[in-house]
């Protein structure tokens, strides 16, 4: 039942995206040009990466509101490191960014697991802490393009087989999550913990450890995105990616990831991110204020949650009917 629901949800969202793209094309035909669609995907790549990390956290009945602050702190740290040591190889910077992000994710996970603090409280707190640390280490100053090495800035922009490296990384993360969620015991544990944590305990799953692992994955991806973001835009500052955590959560909710946990898919998170990415790129093209994106995102979230609630009520009625017939 859940699998068929997810398939239909993804089909509906894919159809909505197609209708949206065709509607935009009537106003601006160049929007559907392959080169422009590739640019839209590349612009949406950071959101896709973060949405997939957020997906596994939400699957376990948690939430991570610190992803954008994690991204910003990691981006500032690697930018400062590059400024101090311009010759540091990019693979080393990537490894450091991922490890630093994972460490911040681990802090979230341990607070939720060991101290049993509500996830929203923990991540709101760490979000503020991480932003504060950025200001302290940078003294509120920006790091601009001329202070970064060419190799540091070039990596996410390098074009391979027609797409920038940033896009290929997003594609690799999607493939990795398909394997993680569908083929590994950890992926199954995410669903089990979110679906019924009490039953998960009886099957030998450590609920707290599984939730902590989800936070580490989300943090590692935020760290990776931190370097990619700063290198691509060639700037680092305190408020970088401010409010982006809301877009990440919106992408998951729109994609059918249930805030109650236990329901979601990689395809749904991907489509939710693409929907928001297309809206964000299309509004300026058709001369609509980008501020409308907030209204559109909010409306889409409400519609998505309403759809989930309606589906759950319908499912409940079906179960009751089956029980009555059985009686």
């Amino acid at each position: 039942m859940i699998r068929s629901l997810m398939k239909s949800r993804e089909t509906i969202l894919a159809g909505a995206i197609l209708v949206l793209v065709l509607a935009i094309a009537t106003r601006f035909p160049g929007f559907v040009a392959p080169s422009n669609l590739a640019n839209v995907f590349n612009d949406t790549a950071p959101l896709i990466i973060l949405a997939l990390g957020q997906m596994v956290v939400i699957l376990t009945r948690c939430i991570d509101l610190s992803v954008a602050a994690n991204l910003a702190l990691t981006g500032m740290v690697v930018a400062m490191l590059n400024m101090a040591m311009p010759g540091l190889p990019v693979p080393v910077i990537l490894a450091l960014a991922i490890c630093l992000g994972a460490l911040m994710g681990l802090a979230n996970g341990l607070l939720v697991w060991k101290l049993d603090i509500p996830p929203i409280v923990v991540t709101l707190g760490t979000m503020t802490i991480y932003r504060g640390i950025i200001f302290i280490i940078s003294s509120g100053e920006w790091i601009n393009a001329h202070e970064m090495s060419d190799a540091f800035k070039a990596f996410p922009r390098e074009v391979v087989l027609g797409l920038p490296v940033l896009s290929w990384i997003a594609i690799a993360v999607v493939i990795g999550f398909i394997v993680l969620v569908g083929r590994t015991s950890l992926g199954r544990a995410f669903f089990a913990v979110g679906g019924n944590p009490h039953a998960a305990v009886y099957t030998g799953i450590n609920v707290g450890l599984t939730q902590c692992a989800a936070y580490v994955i989300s943090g590692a991806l935020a760290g990776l995105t931190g370097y990619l973001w700063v290198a691509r835009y060639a700037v680092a500052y305190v408020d970088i990616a401010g409010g982006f955590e809301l877009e990440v959560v919106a992408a998951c909710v729109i994609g059918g990831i249930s805030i109650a946990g236990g329901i979601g898919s990689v395809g749904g998170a991907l489509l939710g991110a693409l929907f928001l990415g297309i809206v964000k790129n299309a509004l300026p093209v058709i001369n609509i204020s980008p501020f409308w994106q907030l209204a559109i995102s909010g409306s889409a979230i409400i519609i998505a949650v309403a759809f989930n609630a309606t589906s759950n009520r319908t499912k409940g009625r079906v179960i009751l009917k089956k029980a009555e017939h059985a009686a």
Side-chain angles (χ1 to χ4, degrees), residues 233-315:
Y233 295 109
V235 66
Y237 55 95
V238 174
D239 293 326
I240 193 169
F244 199 62
E245 62 277 350
L246 300 180
E247 287 190 45
V248 175
V249 174
C252 290
V253 174
I254 292 169
I257 316 301
S258 174
I259 293 296
I263 298 175
S265 71
V266 174
L270 173 62
L271 289 171
L274 287 174
F275 176 83
L276 291 179
I278 291 169
V279 169
K280 184 176 182 178
N281 280 271
L283 293 182
V285 169
I286 57 178
N287 296 320
I288 297 177
S289 170
F291 291 108
W292 276 102
Q293 183 193 354
L294 298 175
I296 293 171
S297 298
S299 300
I301 290 173
I302 293 172
I303 293 170
V305 171
F307 183 89
N308 286 340
T310 302
S311 299
N312 289 336
R313 284 197 297 270
T314 302
K315 183 170 65 175

Side-chain angles (χ1 to χ4, degrees), residues 149-242:
S149 69
D150 291 337
F152 181 89
K153 294 180 291 186
F155 177 73
R157 308 178 192 180
E158 291 281 350
V159 176
V160 178
L161 300 177
L163 287 176
V165 168
L166 175 58
S167 293
W168 285 116
I169 291 175
I171 292 170
V173 171
V174 170
I175 294 171
F177 267 74
I178 291 173
V179 175
L180 171 66
V181 171
R183 301 289 182 179
T184 68
S185 58
L186 179 60
R188 290 189 289 272
F190 290 145
F191 285 97
V193 167
N196 191 329
H198 299 295
V201 171
Y202 288 113
T203 62
I205 296 173
N206 187 320
V207 173
L209 182 60
T210 302
Q211 291 174 332
C212 188
Y215 274 112
V216 171
I217 292 171
S218 177
L221 291 177
L224 169 63
T225 309
Y227 160 67
L228 296 172
W229 186 298
V230 167
R232 186 191 180 209
Y233 295 109
V235 66
Y237 55 95
V238 174
D239 293 326
I240 193 169

